Amino acid sequence: MVDDEDTGMTGTPDAKKTDQAAAASPALQPAAGLARLQLRHMMVGLSFLVCVVFPVTVSAFYLYVVADDQYASHVGFSVRTEEVGSAIEFLGGITELSGSSSSDTDILYEFIQSQQIVRIVNAQVDLASIYSNPSDPYFGLGDDTRIEALAEYWNRVVKVFYDTSSGLIEVRVLAFHPEDSQLIAQTLFDESSRMINDLSAIARADAMSYAEEELERAVLRLKLARQAKTAFQNRTQIVDPQADIQGQMGVLNSLQQQLAVTQIELQQFILDGVSPEDRRVQQSRQRINAINSLIEQERTKFGRIETGMGNQAYSELMAEFDAIAVDLEFAEKSYLSAQAARDAAFAEAQRKSRYLAKHVEPTMAETPLYPRRLTILMILGGLSFIGWAILTMIYYSLRDRR
């Protein structure tokens, strides 16, 4: 009988199973030991100190030790248009003559952030002396007081909040002293109000300019038409050719009636057997000849008439006068229309008045709320940590690809 020691086998069943599993599987790896601190770990930690801890610490020192307190003054306003009805509007049904393609509030919003208002405000309150702060070089203005530097710094200390739905504007002004911030806010509001008033004046001038020019052209046209009529009357010595014709027609009709009566009388003498040598018959015949001569003279006037420019046909005079009368009538109607349009434009310009309505007076701060030290530190710390984490992940990803 073979001994168990000769075969190299243990006597227990569990031991046999363990030996079989060890023979069938590859060799087991030894357990990993504790990680040792290496150079790359120290470099990551050092980079965290440089990229996160150091800038946050320096910023905290500057914000809490070096930076000066800033006071905020708030002012709120909006552009309003006052529309007042006029008597001309009720009588003539005047409608709106002009419209605006852009909002006055949008214009004001851009004006408050422009270099122009910086120049205007600086001329009144001396922004360089207010914001120059050598002890705080970051939040102060610095040594550069040119208008470009002032405009850039202005947009840092003056913030405009514009609600497009309601048209309300709120402006926040920062300064190192509360009196300065309030003074700048008040000056800003005054200049904004002046700018809106200038816009109203320009709008009124634009509304009136075309109407005034049209009225001047109508007045000139009317003067020329009346001068032409006066020149015609002086040249022809005829006030109204139509009335003159009617007068001549009346004279001619009267002569024809007298001629008919005289001819009837003469015919009556002949029928009564009165001698042709009779005085009454001779007078009747003389009267008939005289009336015929007058009728002939009156009829010749309808053909040609003596004027200042020579013998001229009456029909030509009538055609010339009719043309002058048409021009005069058109000039009179144009003048009345232009005058009505000018009055309507004036009424429209007067009833629409823009002004700046202030709903928040420039405030006087008692507590320095700026700079927002904790907020700045949190934002700076968060951005620094995110940047450091991204750089660390990039480093390890490149290391693992080797």
Side-chain angles (χ1 to χ4, degrees):
M1 197 164 183
V2 182
D3 192 3
D4 291 339
E5 293 180 357
D6 296 337
T7 59
M9 305 276 298
T10 59
T12 62
D14 293 336
K16 292 180 180 180
K17 293 180 180 180
T18 301
D19 295 339
Q20 293 176 359
S25 62
L28 295 176
Q29 297 292 333
L34 295 177
R36 292 176 298 174
L37 183 63
Q38 298 183 6
L39 179 61
R40 64 176 180 273
H41 299 150
M42 292 186 292
M43 294 300 296
V44 170
L46 181 61
S47 66
F48 178 80
L49 294 177
V50 173
C51 297
V52 180
V53 177
F54 179 74
V56 173
T57 303
V58 172
S59 300
F61 175 79
Y62 186 90
L63 288 172
Y64 286 97
V65 178
V66 179
D68 292 332
D69 294 332
Q70 292 179 330
Y71 298 83
S73 178
H74 298 266
V75 59
F77 47 82
S78 60
V79 180
R80 289 291 178 264
T81 302
E82 182 179 3
E83 297 186 2
V84 180
S86 62
I88 295 179
E89 181 179 357
F90 290 111
L91 292 176
I94 303 299
T95 57
E96 185 176 358
L97 298 178
S98 62
S100 176
S101 58
S102 61
S103 173
D104 295 331
T105 310
D106 295 334
I107 298 175
L108 182 60
Y109 176 76
E110 296 296 333
F111 174 73
I112 296 174
Q113 303 175 86
S114 67
Q115 187 181 109
Q116 179 182 357
I117 194 172
V118 177
R119 190 184 300 275
I120 296 173
V121 174
N122 183 50
Q124 299 184 30
V125 300
D126 193 6
L127 295 175
S129 62
I130 291 177
Y131 287 110
S132 293
N133 191 0
S135 63
D136 189 357
Y138 180 78
F139 292 102
L141 176 60
D143 298 331
D144 190 359
T145 58
R146 293 174 297 177
I147 187 61
E148 292 80 9
L150 283 175
E152 182 179 359
Y153 185 79
W154 173 271
N155 291 319
R156 289 174 53 190
V157 296
V158 177
K159 296 298 181 181
V160 185
F161 306 96
Y162 174 31
D163 187 357
T164 56
S165 60
S166 62
L168 299 179
I169 292 180
E170 183 177 349
V171 181
R172 186 194 68 199
V173 180
L174 299 180
F176 297 108
H177 301 282
E179 297 82 4
D180 294 336
S181 62
Q182 187 183 39
L183 176 60
I184 295 174
Q186 183 63 50
T187 306
L188 183 148
F189 172 79
D190 294 339
E191 295 303 324
S192 299
S193 180
R194 186 176 293 109
M195 192 272 292
I196 291 297
N197 293 335
D198 292 341
L199 287 180
S200 296
I202 293 173
R204 285 194 296 267
D206 291 341
M208 293 293 297
S209 61
Y210 176 77
E212 291 288 352
E213 293 176 0
E214 189 66 24
L215 181 60
E216 291 178 0
R217 287 194 293 266
V219 170
L220 179 61
R221 187 184 296 114
L222 182 59
K223 288 181 179 179
L224 295 177
R226 288 180 175 176
Q227 290 175 359
K229 181 180 179 181
T230 302
F232 174 85
Q233 292 172 345
N234 294 334
R235 176 171 54 85
T236 61
Q237 300 299 318
I238 300 175
V239 177
D240 188 355
Q242 190 68 30
D244 190 70
I245 289 178
Q246 293 178 358
Q248 291 183 6
M249 289 296 298
V251 173
L252 186 59
N253 291 334
S254 177
L255 291 174
Q256 288 178 345
Q257 291 177 2
Q258 294 179 18
L259 178 61
V261 172
T262 305
Q263 287 177 345
I264 291 173
E265 290 179 353
L266 178 60
Q267 189 66 26
Q268 187 67 35
F269 290 149
I270 295 174
L271 293 177
D272 291 342
V274 179
S275 172
E277 302 298 331
D278 190 273
R279 181 182 176 182
R280 293 175 297 176
V281 174
Q282 292 179 359
Q283 289 179 348
S284 297
R285 288 177 177 175
Q286 292 175 358
R287 185 178 176 83
I288 289 173
N289 293 332
I291 293 174
N292 283 328
S293 177
L294 292 174
I295 291 174
E296 186 65 24
Q297 292 178 8
E298 291 296 330
R299 285 179 174 176
T300 55
K301 290 182 181 180
F302 289 100
R304 306 193 71 81
I305 187 173
E306 187 67 24
T307 63
M309 299 181 63
N311 198 11
Q312 192 173 0
Y314 210 94
S315 59
E316 295 178 359
L317 294 177
M318 285 296 300
E320 182 180 354
F321 182 81
D322 288 340
I324 294 175
V326 170
D327 292 340
L328 180 59
E329 182 181 4
F330 177 77
E332 289 176 347
K333 291 182 178 180
S334 298
Y335 171 74
L336 294 176
S337 177
Q339 192 174 35
R342 194 276 305 271
D343 294 340
F346 180 78
E348 181 73 11
Q350 290 298 320
R351 79 185 186 92
K352 283 194 173 182
S353 177
R354 298 179 180 89
Y355 65 95
L356 209 59
K358 180 165 47 177
H359 59 269
V360 177
E361 294 284 344
T363 59
M364 173 70 76
E366 297 181 357
T367 304
L369 301 178
Y370 297 89
R372 303 279 192 180
R373 295 177 171 86
L374 183 59
T375 303
I376 295 175
L377 288 177
M378 292 179 63
I379 294 175
L380 179 62
L383 293 177
S384 301
F385 179 78
I386 293 174
W388 172 81
I390 292 175
L391 292 177
T392 303
M393 288 188 292
I394 292 175
Y395 166 74
Y396 274 103
S397 63
L398 294 177
R399 180 178 178 276
D400 293 341
R401 293 170 67 93
R402 293 176 183 178

